[in-house]
Amino acid sequence: MRMTRLLAFGAAIAFAASSASAQLVDVPPPLLTPADFDPSAAPQLLPGAFELQDWMPSGTGEPPLAPQSAAGTWAAAFWLPLTPVNTDPRPSLQNAPVVAALPNGEAFAVWMDSRNALPDVYGTRWAMTLTPLLQEVRVGHRRPNYDAPGLRHAAIAGENNRVFVAWADEARIHVVRGDLSTGTWTSPTIVVAGSQWEAIAVQPKLATDGNGNLVVVWTDFRESDGRIRLGDVYATRCNGNATPIACSNPAIRINDDVGAANAQRAPAISQNGNQIVVVWEDGREAGPDYPRIYARFSDDGGQSWGANLRVNKRLDGNAPSSRDSATSPAVTHAADGSVWVAWEHRSGAPTAAPDIYVARWNGAQWSTPWRVDAAPPRVRSAAPAIAALGNEVFVVWQDHRSGHAKTDLYSAHWNGSAWTELPAVIAPGMQRAPALSAANGRVYLVWEDERNGQADVYGAVWTGKAWENPMLLNTAAPRLPYQISPALAAANGRAHILFADRRETYTQLHLAQRSASGGWQPAPAPPTDAENGTIVDHGRINLAIDQSGRLHAVWSDVYWTRGLRVRHSVLSGTTWTDPIFVTRQITDYEMLPSLAVHGNTLVASWSHRQSSNQHVQLYASWNTGSGWVTETAILTQTFSAWNWYSSAATDGSYVYVAWHRDDAGNGRGRIYLARRLMQPSATWSYSQINPPHDDDWCYHRYPRLAVDSAGTLHAVWIGCARRNPSNSWPRDYYVFYATSSDQGATWSAPLRVHLISPDSYFDSRPALTLAPSSRAMILYPVRLGTNREFAAALIQNGSVIFTRTLTTNAAWVPAGMYDGAWYGGDSAGDVVYDPSGDRFVFAVIDRSNGRAPRILTTEYFGPNFFPRSFVPMVRR
């Protein structure tokens, strides 16, 4: 239904909150004393507490749920379709391809791909039939999290009907196996891991003996010369038949100049049966500006290795001069057992125009090299690739004879007695980064091609006389944004959304604005300095509008060398203020800040972890217009933990902070509230929001707080409840809601809003916003079976009016370990109320594209909104 809407503009105050961990019960809990926070005390029920079954309704079976559809006038309200916050109009680039020719005559090519914003690894099965078959697949981030590293340096080896793919991320080498008959892939195996700050492992290459026995080589920066890491070449053996692939440790250092401060890098590998040869650039003779090509052989599948041998010579057979350099080596085995190496040769200077040289190992020594390119003087020939089909050897390189800003691909063919040069790919745009592989009578060539205006991957096949049948190997997939952690604020008919985005590969904050009748438009974002290396933490981002219409943003970032600090910036008009530190003290980790506003008063809370003792304390600060006051500790003592979620709220007089805590040793979840007046001499008092209970491993977590215009406190959280009152199991998890009309001293019995996960804990983080007429809107993730969805529930006067599913198969990534690193999950959305049009604005995380997390938004207009249609008026 299309309609023109006329919306009344009003004023709104956005209340932001936070999350934490806890548990439930049904009687107003008493105020707590500092003794209740003693972790060394034996677990005890608080006065008036009882077991969970006492809180459950009588009878058996599933507890009653809230109604699933609108009632009364709410049925007349309507929802807008889910729409993206923004798109990424930049082209999706594909580059750095490699290829493996398979014994069955097919090939598999992989490349680096930017369609998901982060550099990723994609590939395609390439079958030469009458109609060439291309089957594209995502090889790299098959279950990515938002913190996934950018990938680089893909490598491949093939055998029979399967392939092995390796790549580097920011600190590690990974390898996977793909079964082409079933389309299944193993989870990544970490071959070597190091510190991200040192980029310890890059440039992997791998080879297989055809029976699943793999050897992986890479450039490794674990050794240093003082503060300089120059690189070595390492190798390890892997069992490619294991699931997942199993790799042996420790790895073997291939270059044997142990103790020397030389640069070794850019390895290449080839295998023929049990013989393996690794070649690399080596700076031991003349330094890193004038490297040589070295080689090392293994005749037992990589279990032991021979001596290092220099490969490159001058064309007259003499040793390289002091100003000769050899770089970018490539290596292959021919059928007769000979080994061929190609490289770039430069004479006179490191920046001299390179030529392509090739040498052969005959089993005893390296031959005098051949120059195989016929480029004119001072024309660059670079990036050689080499492969052998039987005893025929092929070399392909990128060539600049068409101009300095134009590259084509040329090739040379060894027929057993001489080299013949011929063009390989001459086309508009740039053709570069060739890779070769040969098997079963075919030689496959892949390269990066810009004939279509952006980088794509193309492939061609050697037909016996020429390179023919060039074809595009990658699909024309659009580039997707990579977003998470939305924070909403709305007032005067305009909604604002702040979110984390990795379109530049690093985390940056982005802002968009939307009127009630338009789409999202980019707006100036807070100045985080992320483009200059500041690391922005996306764990909690906050946005709020004060009574003066100013937009406030709070987040946490690593401001070197101070560690994670809470930062605050204000948007007035179109200009953000320089971010300031909310806190006075320099601490180790200030995480998960929460922000609330009342009038022009701001309140923030956050989690602080001291690295010296691994203890957590919660802090709060407030700003009534004269700057942030010195932060005050909330807890009466610290606790051993990584962090605690908290949620701040204020009514202009009191500061409220809610958080969760799981009792050590038994996992009994509690939702606590701390409150205090803003006067300097005031102290904190405490209460428990969820009723006390004595059920072990019954979690209650992630509270969100808000205060309405009457001063009533509203809280939502997730928590467990027994399905059958007389039994301990199963326990289901729900979204709970409670209110307090006495500044948090006592709380209503929790309202079970919606079942979110039967029989198991689910890391769901609800969001809350308030509206007039005692309305509260909650947004929360739901896990039912294999589906993960976002749902919304409207509560009025303590009763659930309706629940509604917003997304299906959102498929976000839950909290857990991914590729050896912990990720906190991406299930947190946000919701805000704007009185203009009586609308609620929702933001959710969606991964239904199967590729990248993105933020979708929708709006709900309540029954007080009356859409109007306009017709042309004709004046006589």
Side-chain angles (χ1 to χ4, degrees):
M1 174 176 65
R2 296 188 60 189
M3 58 182 66
T4 302
R5 298 195 298 272
L6 180 63
L7 300 181
F9 290 89
I13 300 174
F15 295 87
S18 173
S19 321
S21 155
Q23 290 204 329
L24 55 104
V25 179
D26 181 58
V27 65
L31 289 176
L32 305 184
T33 66
D36 293 310
F37 295 85
D38 182 4
S40 63
Q44 295 180 358
L45 288 176
L46 295 175
F50 47 84
E51 294 185 352
L52 272 181
Q53 69 263 25
D54 296 323
W55 176 75
M56 298 295 294
S58 61
T60 59
E62 180 64 32
L65 295 179
Q68 297 296 305
S69 60
T73 58
W74 295 98
F78 65 92
W79 296 78
L80 295 184
L82 284 164
T83 58
V85 169
N86 68 357
T87 57
D88 193 339
R90 294 174 296 176
S92 175
L93 305 179
Q94 290 77 30
N95 57 19
V98 290
V99 64
L102 306 178
N104 63 4
E106 297 181 0
F108 198 91
V110 296
W111 59 86
M112 303 311 304
D113 200 296
S114 72
R115 70 185 68 181
N116 305 317
L118 294 183
D120 211 340
V121 178
Y122 273 72
T124 189
R125 181 182 178 186
W126 182 9
M128 293 303 299
T129 58
L130 292 177
T131 302
L133 172 67
L134 297 176
Q135 296 178 342
E136 192 178 62
V137 63
R138 188 179 190 178
V139 178
H141 290 310
R142 299 181 61 80
R143 284 194 65 194
N145 59 62
Y146 182 82
D147 292 325
L151 308 184
R152 51 187 171 179
H153 304 153
I156 190 170
E159 57 182 43
N160 300 319
N161 203 31
R162 61 185 187 177
V163 294
F164 303 94
V165 179
W167 63 81
D169 62 22
E170 292 152 2
R172 302 167 297 185
I173 303 295
H174 303 256
V175 63
V176 298
R177 180 183 69 244
D179 188 325
L180 304 186
S181 61
T182 62
T184 58
W185 292 81
T186 63
S187 59
T189 293
I190 298 175
V191 179
V192 61
S195 167
Q196 180 176 345
W197 300 104
E198 298 164 354
I200 199 169
V202 295
Q203 299 176 326
K205 296 292 191 298
L206 72 162
T208 174
D209 65 354
N211 297 307
N213 299 306
L214 306 178
V215 175
V216 185
V217 298
W218 64 90
T219 301
D220 196 294
F221 293 95
R222 68 185 69 185
E223 302 293 339
S224 66
D225 177 24
R227 297 176 61 91
I228 301 174
R229 295 183 179 270
L230 298 174
D232 296 287
V233 175
Y234 274 75
T236 195
R237 300 168 66 227
C238 300
N239 177 6
N241 299 315
T243 302
I245 294 171
C247 297
S248 61
N249 282 298
I252 299 171
R253 183 174 173 175
I254 296 298
N255 53 290
D256 61 7
D257 58 334
V258 178
N262 302 314
Q264 282 92 8
R265 58 199 174 208
I269 189 171
S270 181
Q271 183 164 2
N272 181 22
N274 284 327
Q275 187 183 72
I276 302 170
V277 58
V278 177
V279 297
W280 65 93
E281 295 178 16
D282 197 299
R284 72 181 70 181
E285 293 184 21
D289 291 337
Y290 298 98
R292 313 307 193 208
I293 303 300
Y294 269 70
R296 193 173 190 180
F297 286 88
S298 171
D299 292 321
D300 54 10
Q303 299 181 67
S304 62
W305 295 84
N308 285 196
L309 305 169
R310 178 166 46 78
V311 177
N312 63 298
K313 305 176 184 177
R314 298 177 65 86
L315 292 179
D316 58 9
N318 291 323
S321 74
S322 61
R323 297 184 67 82
D324 287 345
S325 71
T327 58
S328 302
V331 62
T332 192
H333 276 89
D336 61 5
S338 59
V339 176
W340 297 76
V341 178
W343 68 91
E344 299 175 8
H345 174 85
R346 292 174 175 84
S347 296
T351 57
D355 298 311
I356 305 301
Y357 283 18
V358 176
R360 178 177 61 191
W361 173 260
N362 61 11
Q365 62 182 0
W366 292 100
S367 69
T368 298
W370 296 269
R371 178 185 170 186
V372 299
D373 71 286
R378 293 183 297 280
V379 169
R380 291 174 291 163
S381 300
I386 193 168
L389 183 64
N391 290 322
E392 295 181 272
V393 181
F394 299 82
V395 181
V396 179
W397 63 91
Q398 62 187 43
D399 196 292
H400 288 261
R401 66 188 71 182
S402 294
H404 291 293
K406 173 71 174 76
T407 55
D408 298 303
L409 300 185
Y410 278 75
S411 68
H413 174 214
W414 173 261
N415 60 12
S417 60
W419 289 96
T420 303
E421 188 201 63
L422 71 160
V425 182
I426 309 294
M430 304 283 282
Q431 287 74 42
R432 56 194 174 203
L436 287 171
S437 186
N440 196 24
R442 289 196 176 102
V443 184
Y444 287 89
L445 166 65
V446 296
W447 68 94
E448 180 185 329
D449 197 300
E450 294 186 359
R451 68 183 68 188
N452 300 320
Q454 70 279 331
D456 289 305
V457 172
Y458 270 73
V461 180
W462 176 256
T463 62
K465 295 182 179 179
W467 300 97
E468 297 184 357
N469 302 318
M471 65 184 69
L472 179 66
L473 299 185
N474 60 274
T475 61
R479 185 178 171 104
L480 288 180
Y482 209 87
Q483 305 161 335
I484 206 171
S485 301
L488 289 165
N492 302 324
R494 183 171 294 275
H496 311 261
I497 185 168
L498 185 67
F499 54 93
D501 193 299
R502 292 189 66 182
R503 68 187 67 180
E504 305 295 345
T505 72
Y506 54 84
T507 298
Q508 177 64 286
L509 298 186
H510 287 259
L511 181 71
Q513 298 176 347
R514 178 176 180 168
S515 66
S517 59
W520 290 103
Q521 299 297 326
T528 64
D529 206 36
E531 65 276 11
N532 294 319
T534 297
I535 301 173
V536 177
D537 179 40
H538 64 82
R540 196 71 175 277
I541 297 169
N542 295 268
L543 202 61
I545 298 176
D546 65 24
Q547 197 171 35
S548 302
R550 296 176 301 172
L551 200 62
H552 297 262
V554 172
W555 69 95
S556 184
D557 63 29
V558 178
Y559 189 81
W560 190 262
T561 58
R562 294 186 174 93
L564 273 171
R565 300 288 302 279
V566 176
R567 308 266 261 165
H568 170 230
S569 183
V570 184
L571 177 65
S572 296
T574 60
T575 303
W576 288 90
T577 61
D578 287 338
I580 63 170
F581 296 120
V582 175
T583 57
R584 299 292 191 272
Q585 60 179 320
I586 296 177
T587 60
D588 293 322
Y589 299 99
E590 295 173 358
M591 297 173 280
L592 309 177
S594 174
L595 177 67
V597 62
H598 180 89
N600 288 323
T601 296
L602 301 171
V603 170
S605 66
W606 61 91
S607 178
H608 162 230
R609 185 174 194 264
Q610 189 70 38
S611 62
S612 60
N613 59 11
Q614 289 82 51
H615 276 211
V616 162
Q617 172 64 273
L618 296 179
Y619 281 92
S621 180
W622 48 92
N623 184 342
T624 59
S626 301
W628 293 93
V629 303
T630 301
E631 61 270 26
T632 174
I634 297 172
L635 307 179
T636 57
Q637 64 182 87
T638 60
F639 295 84
S640 178
W642 172 246
N643 59 41
W644 280 356
Y645 273 74
S646 67
S647 179
T650 182
D651 56 11
S653 298
Y654 278 91
V655 175
Y656 303 100
V657 179
W659 72 97
H660 72 236
R661 194 189 97 198
D662 297 330
D663 289 346
N666 58 28
R668 296 174 187 173
R670 307 186 186 197
I671 304 292
Y672 288 119
L673 178 85
R675 65 171 183 169
R676 61 164 286 168
L677 291 168
M678 294 183 185
Q679 285 85 353
S681 60
T683 59
W684 293 100
S685 61
Y686 308 92
S687 63
Q688 186 170 332
I689 297 176
N690 69 309
H693 67 90
D694 63 354
D695 264 25
D696 294 346
W697 311 114
C698 179
Y699 301 121
H700 290 253
R701 294 177 175 174
Y702 303 113
R704 297 294 292 263
L705 280 181
V707 184
D708 63 23
S709 58
T712 299
L713 275 168
H714 301 249
V716 297
W717 69 94
I718 64 164
C720 83
R722 296 183 183 182
R723 185 179 303 178
N724 300 304
S726 60
N727 298 322
S728 296
W729 302 100
R731 293 185 184 137
D732 300 325
Y733 278 81
Y734 296 83
V735 172
F736 289 99
Y737 167 82
T739 60
S740 172
S741 57
D742 55 7
Q743 289 80 44
T746 60
W747 289 83
S748 66
L751 172 69
R752 198 173 325 123
V753 178
H754 198 165
L755 174 70
I756 62 168
S757 180
D759 198 22
S760 62
Y761 171 75
F762 176 44
D763 201 53
S764 176
R765 304 177 190 183
L768 170 68
T769 191
L770 303 180
S773 302
S774 300
R775 288 176 289 159
M777 184 71 81
I778 307 172
L779 174 69
Y780 49 93
V782 176
R783 178 178 64 188
L784 298 175
T786 59
N787 289 344
R788 289 179 170 86
E789 305 167 347
F790 272 95
L794 181 66
I795 300 173
Q796 187 171 28
N797 295 320
S799 298
V800 177
I801 303 301
F802 69 82
T803 63
R804 179 183 177 91
T805 298
L806 302 185
T807 60
T808 58
N809 289 321
W812 61 79
V813 175
M817 297 295 294
Y818 296 93
D819 296 341
W822 171 258
Y823 175 61
D826 53 22
S827 67
D830 204 11
V831 59
V832 71
Y833 176 74
D834 181 11
S836 299
D838 194 26
R839 65 170 178 154
F840 295 90
V841 183
F842 301 82
V844 299
I845 308 299
D846 182 83
R847 291 178 180 265
S848 57
N849 55 55
R851 292 164 46 192
R854 59 178 178 169
I855 296 173
L856 301 180
T857 63
T858 185
E859 296 183 17
Y860 168 77
F861 292 84
N864 296 327
F865 167 71
F866 297 97
R868 302 180 182 178
S869 297
F870 295 89
V871 295
M873 181 177 67
V874 179
R875 179 175 299 174
R876 297 182 67 127

